Amino acid sequence: MVEEIKKSICWGCWMQCGAIAYLREGKVVRLSGDPEFYTKGFFCDRGLRFVEHLYHPDRLNYPLKRKGERGEGRWQRISWDQAMDEIAEKLSRLKDKYGAETLATTCGTGRGHQETFKERFLHLFGSPNHANAGQFCRIETREIDYAIYGADIVAMKPRTAIDRGCIVIWGHNPKESVPVEYQEYRNIKREGKIKFIVIDPKRTEAVDEFADIWLPIRPATDSALALGWLNIIINEGLYDKEFVEKWCYGFGELKERVKDYTPERVSEITWISKDKIIESARMFASGRPYTSIPWGVKTDMQGRNVTSIVHAIAILRAITGSINVNGGSPLSGPCLKARGGSEFNYIDMLNPEQRSKQLGRDKHKFWTFPGYELISEAMRPYWGGKICSSYMPGCHIPDVWRAILYSEPYPIKALIVGGNNPLMAFANTKQTYNALKSPNLELLVVIEHWLTPSAMLADYVFPAANWLEMPLLHFGTYTGAQDFVAAAEEVIHPLHERKADYYFYQGLGHRLGQGNYWQKSLEKEWEWCIRPLLDELGMESFEEFARERRFWFPTFEERYHEKVNPETGRPRGFGTPTGKIEFYSTILERLGYDPLPNYEEPKETLISDPELAKEYPLILITGSRFRPFYHSEHRQLPSARKLHPEPTFEIHPDTANSLGIKEGEWAIIETNWGKIKQRARFSERIDPRMVDVQHSWWFPEEVAEDPILYRAFESNANMLTTDNEEYCDPPTGAMRLSPYLCKVYPAKRYY
């Protein structure tokens, strides 16, 4: 039988690799990587499972309306039109009574959910309250980089012609988290010219395969290590003096700040030997200007020090002169051939009065509109009126739950959840559950692929198409986050009554007077977005580009900041208030925060709270990735569950034996905030003082109804966390998902 081939882009994670779909009689039978795409044919085991995902019998196929009590699991199947008519009418009444700010939304990483359309709907509705998981995953890193560089960092493979270089794998294990990056590193390692430093408390595969130096850091001390490196690099004169003098702002202040971070002090803080700190700092600097520190999610999850961690890492790239160097740390602004970001989500339609009502604005000014407006003010002139907006600004997630529960500073009465499972995603699960169940919340709408624990509490649930059922544009293009275009045509028409969630927001928008701001189809939205590029290429439509071209990258210009701007006759510099890379951040200073990175010992550590440590003597790590799952996704897929049938936590065998814990048996993990159970997995790769707990576990095969909710509370790592303000990062509000202090003991057995 002849197979039909269609080319797409996998949305199994944020990397979005090229995919080939093979169809027989209109049905997708298998997937593979596309060697003609820029990801060069790479395709991981997560992407391969989307055929199973597409045809799974438990996928949501029709809109559902709650019949009984919230969480009771009694549903009525209704039409899209009826559901949206009712929701639009309810939102209109709530807006009239409480103001537009009474509506909030939450989102996750995407995977086919078009979050920018959710933002557009919200901005046009008049609400500033978009809560997104970027507050602890990637977006706060982008926002800090925007303030420091006036652009975002792009990962780019070092050229084979270079004779030196250094890549630092900091805060992630690419084999599990970013497998396409892992494959690239294997190729680089074989060339033998680039040194690797791996910073991780665990001896991961990255340590074994790549590390010339491994730094087994004490969790949450990353900013101290980065400042220690800067101390050595500055004091030993290992930095790029010409680049720093010409293109960096605040070197004198930085030099004064890092004086306190001697190798001896940093060794005490981080548990890394003084000699290793010095050796690794010298190795990193010796690779200049071909130094690269790709993003790692663990630097975003640590709460109070997040801004300092990201800021210090940004400085390390710049002080070695690697910025805008191929093989170093190239920068990317918004795509100048597309209408993305603020042009696409209509954020400028949200008036100052409504912006001033944003939840968290008074506490976390950098993350919210005050920070966005200062970044925008600096970036727009530099990028021809555009800004890298990518999910920013967001409101503070915990404040959404508190506004629902306590109506402070005003009531949140309606919540739309798309591409997100709040009970699994956010810190302080108990508070999230109480908010979603609260009678104060008059409308809860979920757009999803599955009936998740969070969806079970909804008033309305809508069936979202997955990435094989819709035309696609790379999220970096339409969010304004990156400078290229990548597109794919629809592989199959959505099954049953699934729809791209674009049609949910478009439908509500039409019902609520937003009709002039929505195209007639998703394809036409994508076409409008990339129209400047289409005109330049002489193409008529999005479909033509998706079939025949598929992706476009601008020509990379090394040291772009040195190019003369013909309008001013001066070098372009950087899109920051000073026109330079800001070691000393004038934006953070104007917002009232420390303009330089620092280190603050977090609450609830062995050092800051020795009394608590007597009861909870182990360091809890959470959030480590493990394929083929992606956060709380894919627990329904039999092929994935064969690999990970039940939740496990890693513990050193010596520690386990001392606690009477047997391998493979259930044990209780308890913090000051809660307790869960998982099965013990012995590993000598983890420090005996630590345990690593898998995150986002729920069980779709179990009882769906509240209070069980697929056992959402039994093994969920976020039951062990808090979102109290003193644990959050002041500028960004980043929640602390890891680390904590914990104790572990055997679960009781009954025979």
mmCIF file of all heavy atoms in Angstrom, residues 364-386:
data_model
loop_
_atom_site.group_PDB
_atom_site.id
_atom_site.type_symbol
_atom_site.label_atom_id
_atom_site.label_comp_id
_atom_site.label_asym_id
_atom_site.label_seq_id
_atom_site.Cartn_x
_atom_site.Cartn_y
_atom_site.Cartn_z
ATOM 1 N N HIS A 364 6.408 42.254 42.278
ATOM 2 C CA HIS A 364 7.343 41.673 41.314
ATOM 3 C C HIS A 364 7.335 42.518 40.039
ATOM 4 O O HIS A 364 6.840 42.115 38.992
ATOM 5 C CB HIS A 364 6.964 40.222 41.036
ATOM 6 C CG HIS A 364 6.830 39.399 42.288
ATOM 7 N ND1 HIS A 364 7.904 39.135 43.115
ATOM 8 C CD2 HIS A 364 5.743 38.820 42.879
ATOM 9 C CE1 HIS A 364 7.489 38.419 44.143
ATOM 10 N NE2 HIS A 364 6.186 38.220 44.031
ATOM 11 N N LYS A 365 7.899 43.695 40.150
ATOM 12 C CA LYS A 365 7.766 44.703 39.102
ATOM 13 C C LYS A 365 8.492 44.332 37.815
ATOM 14 O O LYS A 365 8.093 44.746 36.732
ATOM 15 C CB LYS A 365 8.273 46.050 39.619
ATOM 16 C CG LYS A 365 7.454 46.602 40.775
ATOM 17 C CD LYS A 365 8.029 47.921 41.280
ATOM 18 C CE LYS A 365 7.223 48.433 42.468
ATOM 19 N NZ LYS A 365 7.795 49.704 42.988
ATOM 20 N N PHE A 366 9.579 43.588 37.930
ATOM 21 C CA PHE A 366 10.327 43.222 36.730
ATOM 22 C C PHE A 366 9.520 42.277 35.850
ATOM 23 O O PHE A 366 9.519 42.390 34.624
ATOM 24 C CB PHE A 366 11.656 42.573 37.122
ATOM 25 C CG PHE A 366 12.561 42.282 35.953
ATOM 26 C CD1 PHE A 366 13.270 43.301 35.336
ATOM 27 C CD2 PHE A 366 12.701 40.993 35.467
ATOM 28 C CE1 PHE A 366 14.100 43.042 34.252
ATOM 29 C CE2 PHE A 366 13.533 40.721 34.386
ATOM 30 C CZ PHE A 366 14.228 41.745 33.779
ATOM 31 N N TRP A 367 8.809 41.342 36.464
ATOM 32 C CA TRP A 367 8.033 40.334 35.730
ATOM 33 C C TRP A 367 6.760 40.917 35.131
ATOM 34 O O TRP A 367 6.286 40.454 34.101
ATOM 35 C CB TRP A 367 7.681 39.188 36.683
ATOM 36 C CG TRP A 367 6.807 38.123 36.101
ATOM 37 C CD1 TRP A 367 5.492 37.885 36.380
ATOM 38 C CD2 TRP A 367 7.180 37.129 35.145
ATOM 39 N NE1 TRP A 367 5.020 36.811 35.665
ATOM 40 C CE2 TRP A 367 6.052 36.327 34.894
ATOM 41 C CE3 TRP A 367 8.368 36.831 34.471
ATOM 42 C CZ2 TRP A 367 6.069 35.251 34.006
ATOM 43 C CZ3 TRP A 367 8.379 35.761 33.588
ATOM 44 C CH2 TRP A 367 7.247 34.993 33.372
ATOM 45 N N THR A 368 6.225 41.935 35.753
ATOM 46 C CA THR A 368 4.922 42.471 35.369
ATOM 47 C C THR A 368 5.095 43.699 34.463
ATOM 48 O O THR A 368 6.162 43.934 33.909
ATOM 49 C CB THR A 368 4.115 42.797 36.636
ATOM 50 O OG1 THR A 368 4.921 43.598 37.516
ATOM 51 C CG2 THR A 368 3.721 41.518 37.382
ATOM 52 N N PHE A 369 4.048 44.481 34.293
ATOM 53 C CA PHE A 369 4.077 45.563 33.312
ATOM 54 C C PHE A 369 5.176 46.603 33.534
ATOM 55 O O PHE A 369 5.742 47.104 32.554
ATOM 56 C CB PHE A 369 2.708 46.232 33.225
ATOM 57 C CG PHE A 369 1.844 45.631 32.166
ATOM 58 C CD1 PHE A 369 0.792 44.796 32.507
ATOM 59 C CD2 PHE A 369 2.084 45.878 30.820
ATOM 60 C CE1 PHE A 369 -0.004 44.224 31.524
ATOM 61 C CE2 PHE A 369 1.299 45.313 29.831
ATOM 62 C CZ PHE A 369 0.253 44.484 30.185
ATOM 63 N N PRO A 370 5.523 46.990 34.765
ATOM 64 C CA PRO A 370 6.607 47.973 34.891
ATOM 65 C C PRO A 370 7.908 47.521 34.228
ATOM 66 O O PRO A 370 8.571 48.303 33.540
ATOM 67 C CB PRO A 370 6.761 48.126 36.405
ATOM 68 C CG PRO A 370 5.394 47.841 36.941
ATOM 69 C CD PRO A 370 4.868 46.742 36.071
ATOM 70 N N GLY A 371 8.287 46.255 34.417
ATOM 71 C CA GLY A 371 9.489 45.742 33.776
ATOM 72 C C GLY A 371 9.340 45.643 32.275
ATOM 73 O O GLY A 371 10.244 46.012 31.513
ATOM 74 N N TYR A 372 8.198 45.132 31.842
ATOM 75 C CA TYR A 372 7.937 45.020 30.407
ATOM 76 C C TYR A 372 8.047 46.374 29.717
ATOM 77 O O TYR A 372 8.635 46.493 28.634
ATOM 78 C CB TYR A 372 6.546 44.432 30.183
ATOM 79 C CG TYR A 372 6.059 44.544 28.754
ATOM 80 C CD1 TYR A 372 6.459 43.621 27.795
ATOM 81 C CD2 TYR A 372 5.208 45.580 28.368
ATOM 82 C CE1 TYR A 372 6.023 43.726 26.481
ATOM 83 C CE2 TYR A 372 4.769 45.694 27.066
ATOM 84 C CZ TYR A 372 5.183 44.762 26.125
ATOM 85 O OH TYR A 372 4.744 44.873 24.818
ATOM 86 N N GLU A 373 7.504 47.390 30.333
ATOM 87 C CA GLU A 373 7.489 48.711 29.689
ATOM 88 C C GLU A 373 8.894 49.299 29.581
ATOM 89 O O GLU A 373 9.233 49.934 28.577
ATOM 90 C CB GLU A 373 6.535 49.632 30.452
ATOM 91 C CG GLU A 373 5.075 49.268 30.188
ATOM 92 C CD GLU A 373 4.093 49.828 31.205
ATOM 93 O OE1 GLU A 373 4.554 50.468 32.183
ATOM 94 O OE2 GLU A 373 2.882 49.603 31.044
ATOM 95 N N LEU A 374 9.754 49.078 30.585
ATOM 96 C CA LEU A 374 11.126 49.568 30.493
ATOM 97 C C LEU A 374 11.922 48.788 29.448
ATOM 98 O O LEU A 374 12.715 49.372 28.690
ATOM 99 C CB LEU A 374 11.818 49.480 31.856
ATOM 100 C CG LEU A 374 11.299 50.435 32.940
ATOM 101 C CD1 LEU A 374 12.084 50.223 34.236
ATOM 102 C CD2 LEU A 374 11.406 51.884 32.496
ATOM 103 N N ILE A 375 11.733 47.481 29.411
ATOM 104 C CA ILE A 375 12.403 46.668 28.387
ATOM 105 C C ILE A 375 11.924 47.066 26.998
ATOM 106 O O ILE A 375 12.718 47.233 26.063
ATOM 107 C CB ILE A 375 12.149 45.170 28.649
ATOM 108 C CG1 ILE A 375 12.892 44.727 29.916
ATOM 109 C CG2 ILE A 375 12.585 44.322 27.455
ATOM 110 C CD1 ILE A 375 12.526 43.342 30.397
ATOM 111 N N SER A 376 10.616 47.244 26.868
ATOM 112 C CA SER A 376 10.042 47.646 25.588
ATOM 113 C C SER A 376 10.574 48.999 25.132
ATOM 114 O O SER A 376 10.904 49.206 23.956
ATOM 115 C CB SER A 376 8.517 47.697 25.707
ATOM 116 O OG SER A 376 7.920 48.115 24.509
ATOM 117 N N GLU A 377 10.691 49.929 26.052
ATOM 118 C CA GLU A 377 11.187 51.276 25.742
ATOM 119 C C GLU A 377 12.593 51.220 25.160
ATOM 120 O O GLU A 377 12.944 52.001 24.258
ATOM 121 C CB GLU A 377 11.178 52.100 27.029
ATOM 122 C CG GLU A 377 11.645 53.529 26.900
ATOM 123 C CD GLU A 377 11.631 54.228 28.254
ATOM 124 O OE1 GLU A 377 10.544 54.330 28.860
ATOM 125 O OE2 GLU A 377 12.718 54.632 28.722
ATOM 126 N N ALA A 378 13.419 50.306 25.656
ATOM 127 C CA ALA A 378 14.794 50.184 25.155
ATOM 128 C C ALA A 378 14.875 49.381 23.866
ATOM 129 O O ALA A 378 15.675 49.696 22.980
ATOM 130 C CB ALA A 378 15.668 49.532 26.227
ATOM 131 N N MET A 379 14.043 48.340 23.740
ATOM 132 C CA MET A 379 14.173 47.423 22.611
ATOM 133 C C MET A 379 13.506 47.928 21.333
ATOM 134 O O MET A 379 14.003 47.683 20.226
ATOM 135 C CB MET A 379 13.594 46.051 22.974
ATOM 136 C CG MET A 379 14.409 45.280 23.983
ATOM 137 S SD MET A 379 13.723 43.632 24.308
ATOM 138 C CE MET A 379 14.152 42.784 22.801
ATOM 139 N N ARG A 380 12.376 48.599 21.456
ATOM 140 C CA ARG A 380 11.617 48.967 20.251
ATOM 141 C C ARG A 380 12.437 49.818 19.278
ATOM 142 O O ARG A 380 12.445 49.538 18.074
ATOM 143 C CB ARG A 380 10.318 49.669 20.636
ATOM 144 C CG ARG A 380 9.236 48.738 21.166
ATOM 145 C CD ARG A 380 7.946 49.508 21.404
ATOM 146 N NE ARG A 380 6.975 48.775 22.188
ATOM 147 C CZ ARG A 380 6.025 47.993 21.683
ATOM 148 N NH1 ARG A 380 5.941 47.833 20.373
ATOM 149 N NH2 ARG A 380 5.173 47.380 22.478
ATOM 150 N N PRO A 381 13.128 50.863 19.721
ATOM 151 C CA PRO A 381 13.915 51.639 18.752
ATOM 152 C C PRO A 381 15.008 50.805 18.092
ATOM 153 O O PRO A 381 15.341 51.015 16.924
ATOM 154 C CB PRO A 381 14.512 52.765 19.603
ATOM 155 C CG PRO A 381 13.655 52.848 20.813
ATOM 156 C CD PRO A 381 13.182 51.456 21.069
ATOM 157 N N TYR A 382 15.559 49.857 18.841
ATOM 158 C CA TYR A 382 16.661 49.042 18.336
ATOM 159 C C TYR A 382 16.186 48.050 17.283
ATOM 160 O O TYR A 382 16.885 47.807 16.290
ATOM 161 C CB TYR A 382 17.313 48.295 19.496
ATOM 162 C CG TYR A 382 18.580 47.566 19.126
ATOM 163 C CD1 TYR A 382 19.803 48.229 19.136
ATOM 164 C CD2 TYR A 382 18.565 46.228 18.765
ATOM 165 C CE1 TYR A 382 20.978 47.571 18.802
ATOM 166 C CE2 TYR A 382 19.725 45.558 18.426
ATOM 167 C CZ TYR A 382 20.936 46.232 18.448
ATOM 168 O OH TYR A 382 22.097 45.572 18.114
ATOM 169 N N TRP A 383 15.000 47.475 17.494
ATOM 170 C CA TRP A 383 14.485 46.428 16.610
ATOM 171 C C TRP A 383 13.384 46.936 15.690
ATOM 172 O O TRP A 383 12.464 46.201 15.340
ATOM 173 C CB TRP A 383 13.980 45.235 17.428
ATOM 174 C CG TRP A 383 15.049 44.533 18.187
ATOM 175 C CD1 TRP A 383 15.244 44.525 19.530
ATOM 176 C CD2 TRP A 383 16.095 43.728 17.634
ATOM 177 N NE1 TRP A 383 16.335 43.771 19.870
ATOM 178 C CE2 TRP A 383 16.886 43.265 18.720
ATOM 179 C CE3 TRP A 383 16.446 43.343 16.332
ATOM 180 C CZ2 TRP A 383 17.999 42.449 18.533
ATOM 181 C CZ3 TRP A 383 17.559 42.527 16.155
ATOM 182 C CH2 TRP A 383 18.317 42.089 17.237
ATOM 183 N N GLY A 384 13.457 48.184 15.283
ATOM 184 C CA GLY A 384 12.509 48.707 14.307
ATOM 185 C C GLY A 384 11.078 48.725 14.791
ATOM 186 O O GLY A 384 10.144 48.462 14.020
ATOM 187 N N GLY A 385 10.890 49.028 16.077
ATOM 188 C CA GLY A 385 9.549 49.099 16.635
ATOM 189 C C GLY A 385 9.041 47.791 17.208
ATOM 190 O O GLY A 385 7.950 47.747 17.782
ATOM 191 N N LYS A 386 9.815 46.720 17.080
ATOM 192 C CA LYS A 386 9.386 45.416 17.582
ATOM 193 C C LYS A 386 9.985 45.151 18.960
ATOM 194 O O LYS A 386 10.910 45.829 19.395
ATOM 195 C CB LYS A 386 9.821 44.308 16.609
ATOM 196 C CG LYS A 386 9.188 44.394 15.231
ATOM 197 C CD LYS A 386 9.741 43.312 14.314
ATOM 198 C CE LYS A 386 9.160 43.412 12.920
ATOM 199 N NZ LYS A 386 7.729 43.052 12.892
#
